[in-house]
Amino acid sequence: MTTSVRRRGRTLRARILAYITGGIGRLTAAWRILTTAQTALLAALARIRPGRTSGGGRPLREAISAFNTALASFNRAAMAFAESWSAQDLPVIYREGAWTLLDNADRRQSTFAWTSRHQAAITSLSAQYYADLTSRITEALRRARAFLRNAQDMARDPNAARFDLEALRRDHPLDTVVYANNARHPVDSWARAAITWQAVTTANTGAARTALDELDIQFLEVRDGRGCGWANHNDDDKADRTLRTVQDALAHPVAHAHCVREFLPRLDLRGRTDIRSGAPL
């Protein structure tokens, strides 16, 4: 039971790092369209005097038109990323997880095939993560339009001597993402956490599903960050160098954002019924 599995070649995290890095880059590049447009509109407003009788009518209309054009560009770029990430990248990452497990089990990669169970698993993950990303994109567009409405209201205020640009940026920080608890996080840190979570969850699900379906393995050896809990980072049930059933691995492919969890196959424990999930090595 205490026999450890030696990793063959690169770890799973290293193999999918390129996908994670590329995904983060594409997502933040799309968001940069939005933040650049906000900066450009604020700069244009700084040159315009608000009020119904101001001479800034045409410059204001042009600035608003440019902002709306940028919103459309952001939406196209962000949605294109969400579609390609969920439909193309995540299935490849799932397969990478399966192949890595087979490598560590000294089995041919051709052992893996896109069975109906694998297809169902990746379809479920892809749909969930596509919905997560598109909801963030929709919320970003809603916040951008709220920023634009606020700017237009200031422009129509006959008592305003100038635009309060600091208030506009403070009240509408488009370079942040708002979480469920109303906490604001920079777009780049959110993108890094979200893409890493989705990629590692997908790869580890592919690994665990392959262990069960292709290799008929009941137990996996867990490698994780030192001190990382099983269900969440602060869980007293520590994950690293423990044995877990495949069912538990499928339930907890990761514990938190930026999790480095990896599953290794334990063919030597096939058929054993005297081991509890979570047993230390």
Side-chain angles (χ1 to χ4, degrees):
M1 183 173 120
T2 59
T3 302
S4 181
V5 178
R6 182 175 65 86
R7 289 190 185 96
R8 291 165 56 87
R10 295 175 295 167
T11 65
L12 174 59
R13 186 170 179 81
R15 293 179 68 171
I16 65 172
L17 182 60
Y19 293 103
I20 293 174
T21 302
I24 294 169
R26 284 181 286 157
L27 185 55
T28 54
W31 234 272
R32 201 172 299 120
I33 298 171
L34 187 62
T35 55
T36 300
Q38 182 180 42
T39 299
L41 180 56
L42 289 171
L45 295 178
R47 300 187 295 269
I48 298 171
R49 192 180 74 181
R52 296 182 186 278
T53 61
S54 73
R58 181 176 178 180
L60 180 61
R61 288 194 298 272
E62 291 176 348
I64 291 172
S65 177
F67 185 80
N68 280 322
T69 298
L71 285 193
S73 297
F74 161 73
N75 187 46
R76 285 194 301 272
M79 289 301 294
F81 166 75
E83 290 168 3
S84 65
W85 175 254
S86 59
Q88 300 173 23
D89 294 329
L90 287 179
V92 173
I93 291 169
Y94 183 99
R95 188 184 61 192
E96 282 284 354
W99 282 357
T100 299
L101 182 110
L102 292 171
D103 278 349
N104 288 324
D106 200 19
R107 296 292 190 273
R108 294 180 181 274
Q109 292 180 350
S110 58
T111 304
F112 171 82
W114 281 108
T115 64
S116 59
R117 288 161 66 92
H118 286 304
Q119 291 176 15
I122 190 55
T123 297
S124 176
L125 288 170
S126 295
Q128 175 188 340
Y129 294 144
Y130 177 77
D132 290 348
L133 290 171
T134 55
S135 69
R136 292 294 186 189
I137 295 166
T138 300
E139 175 63 12
L141 289 168
R142 185 197 67 78
R143 294 173 62 206
R145 291 177 181 126
F147 160 73
L148 180 59
R149 285 195 301 273
N150 198 341
Q152 290 173 306
D153 289 343
M154 284 187 183
R156 288 190 290 264
D157 184 356
N159 299 315
R162 62 181 178 83
F163 286 95
D164 191 344
L165 303 181
E166 291 184 4
L168 277 173
R169 189 181 287 279
R170 182 187 64 246
D171 296 342
H172 304 279
L174 301 185
D175 58 349
T176 65
V177 170
V178 182
Y179 283 25
N181 61 359
N182 290 322
R184 292 173 176 175
H185 295 264
V187 167
D188 57 349
S189 65
W190 160 74
R192 190 175 300 109
I195 295 304
T196 302
W197 173 281
Q198 294 182 11
V200 177
T201 297
T202 299
N204 282 347
T205 299
R209 187 85 258 166
T210 299
L212 183 64
D213 290 357
E214 274 75 15
L215 300 182
D216 191 28
I217 291 176
Q218 291 77 43
F219 286 95
L220 296 169
E221 180 179 325
V222 182
R223 299 292 178 88
D224 208 336
R226 186 174 182 180
C228 184
W230 176 244
N232 58 72
H233 186 68
N234 297 320
D235 192 348
D236 291 335
D237 181 11
K238 301 306 177 185
D240 190 40
R241 299 188 65 80
T242 61
L243 295 172
R244 304 284 171 169
T245 63
V246 171
Q247 288 75 16
D248 279 353
L250 287 168
H252 299 287
V254 295
H256 57 89
H258 309 300
C259 194
V260 297
R261 182 166 297 172
E262 184 177 357
F263 298 134
L264 303 176
R266 290 301 298 264
L267 286 82
D268 57 314
L269 302 180
R270 186 185 287 134
R272 293 280 296 273
T273 60
D274 58 327
I275 304 171
R276 66 174 179 84
S277 186
L281 291 172

